[in-house]
Amino acid sequence: AVVSTQSTGFQECNENYHVLFHSFKVLHSLIKNIPGSNLVSKPLELYSFCLQGCVNEVKEVCVALKCFGMLQNAAFLERLKTTYHECQNLEYRSTKIQLLMKVLKLQIDEMDAILSQVPGDKTNNLERKASLEKLKSIQLSFVSRLENYFSTLTAPTTWPLHEILWFSNHIELQNMLVGKCRTALHRGLTNPNLYLQGSDKTTKPDLCHLYDLFHEHGRLISLHDWIQSFNTMLGKKKISSETHAQFISAVSELHFMGYLKPTKRKTDHVAKLSLLGY
């Protein structure tokens, strides 16, 4: 019984998400870049606004819908057609979304029929005025139906098992997704065995040896003293060409990672870019 209840709750949550997501697509297509509204054209901003609560209670959306209803007849109809063409190829699995698209198509057909009967000249002002007033009434009626439709879409945080699809603790999520490069580099250079799996754990890479010596120097590091210390750490008596190559390669890698840079104060020295504390 518990499993059945959880399965039903998850199906309901998935269905609500599908309806909400596609409804946002339709809404965004209708009100994006609407004159008089502060709502920008990016879908993500509209999505974040609407996740705060019921869609019809979001101030920015209400203002955008009001401005949408005040458009001229031709501009209003053009937005309806654009929205219908953009959204008709979406994969609709919900009867609620299908009904929304049918209402949108009927609205387009109705306004097209009325506009085709509006006199082109201004000789019959009464008939023309009556047709335009009818179009405006249809516009306001459609906006009202949109508001009623979005009032039925509840906030995701009220759905059962909504925690599966939504996560509100953005700080923790950011800490998990955004890597801490400096900390990871320091950990890898001081304890390479965490990353070099399967290698000989008794020997450390040349870069790690040089990094250990890096912390023993001040802001300016003498390359001559550094290579002498590096050679001693490797257990060699004389500095060979091989040691020179190892040293230059390791210094270049530290330079690439942003730990040091050349300095004009002393040509045989390098400068630390920062004194890091871990």
Side-chain angles (χ1 to χ4, degrees):
V2 175
V3 175
S4 177
T5 303
Q6 291 178 345
S7 176
T8 303
F10 180 74
Q11 290 176 1
E12 181 182 349
C13 184
N14 185 49
E15 176 69 15
N16 289 338
Y17 168 75
H18 174 77
V19 172
L20 189 67
F21 179 73
H22 287 297
S23 297
F24 283 164
K25 286 189 174 182
V26 175
L27 179 63
H28 173 258
S29 182
L30 287 173
I31 64 177
K32 63 181 178 182
N33 295 325
I34 199 81
S37 171
N38 294 327
L39 205 62
V40 299
S41 60
K42 295 181 180 179
L44 182 60
E45 183 165 348
L46 173 63
Y47 190 71
S48 62
F49 276 134
C50 295
L51 288 181
Q52 298 172 9
C54 294
V55 180
N56 64 326
E57 296 177 357
V58 179
K59 180 181 177 181
E60 291 79 4
V61 175
C62 294
V63 172
L65 285 174
K66 184 178 180 180
C67 296
F68 173 60
M70 296 172 63
L71 290 175
Q72 295 292 331
N73 299 327
F76 186 88
L77 181 59
E78 184 62 29
R79 278 187 177 266
L80 293 184
K81 290 181 178 179
T82 301
T83 300
Y84 185 77
H85 288 306
E86 288 181 354
C87 301
Q88 66 177 344
N89 294 326
L90 296 175
E91 183 183 354
Y92 297 113
R93 293 174 293 177
S94 169
T95 55
K96 201 169 185 178
I97 297 297
Q98 292 176 355
L99 180 61
L100 177 61
M101 295 306 298
K102 288 180 180 179
V103 171
L104 189 61
K105 185 64 169 63
L106 291 174
Q107 185 77 14
I108 294 172
D109 294 341
E110 185 177 5
M111 292 190 70
D112 268 334
I114 296 176
L115 280 174
S116 63
Q117 298 174 3
V118 175
D121 56 356
K122 299 183 179 180
T123 56
N124 196 343
N125 288 332
L126 292 178
E127 184 178 349
R128 181 181 178 84
K129 183 178 180 181
S131 298
L132 294 178
E133 287 180 353
K134 186 176 181 180
L135 283 172
K136 180 57 68 175
S137 176
I138 291 174
Q139 284 185 212
L140 297 177
S141 176
F142 178 74
V143 172
S144 179
R145 294 178 70 177
L146 271 181
E147 291 174 345
N148 292 334
Y149 170 81
F150 284 106
S151 67
T152 64
L153 303 180
T154 57
T157 51
T158 63
W159 301 349
L161 301 178
H162 69 274
E163 297 87 355
I164 299 175
L165 298 175
W166 275 272
F167 188 78
S168 58
N169 192 345
H170 65 279
I171 297 178
E172 182 177 346
L173 186 63
Q174 182 178 7
N175 292 335
M176 295 294 293
L177 295 179
V178 180
K180 298 179 180 179
C181 297
R182 282 188 170 183
T183 304
L185 284 173
H186 177 77
R187 184 169 58 247
L189 291 173
T190 53
N191 191 3
N193 295 328
L194 294 174
Y195 298 93
L196 302 179
Q197 298 179 1
S199 60
D200 187 3
K201 296 184 178 181
T202 59
T203 59
K204 294 173 64 175
D206 298 332
L207 178 62
C208 298
H209 287 303
L210 203 64
Y211 185 73
D212 292 338
L213 297 172
F214 172 82
H215 287 283
E216 297 179 2
H217 293 270
R219 296 197 68 90
L220 289 178
I221 305 176
S222 170
L223 293 176
H224 179 268
D225 294 341
W226 205 5
I227 193 173
Q228 292 287 351
S229 302
F230 178 69
N231 188 66
T232 302
M233 182 171 284
L234 294 180
K236 300 179 180 180
K237 296 182 179 179
K238 294 183 178 181
I239 301 176
S240 61
S241 58
E242 181 182 357
T243 303
H244 269 290
Q246 291 174 273
F247 178 76
I248 293 172
S249 176
V251 170
S252 299
E253 290 179 7
L254 286 177
H255 182 205
F256 177 77
M257 287 187 287
Y259 282 101
L260 51 85
K261 65 176 181 179
T263 177
K264 295 181 180 179
R265 294 175 59 183
K266 295 182 180 180
T267 56
D268 61 340
H269 285 61
V270 291
K272 291 183 178 180
L273 285 177
S274 60
L275 292 174
L276 306 177
Y278 296 91

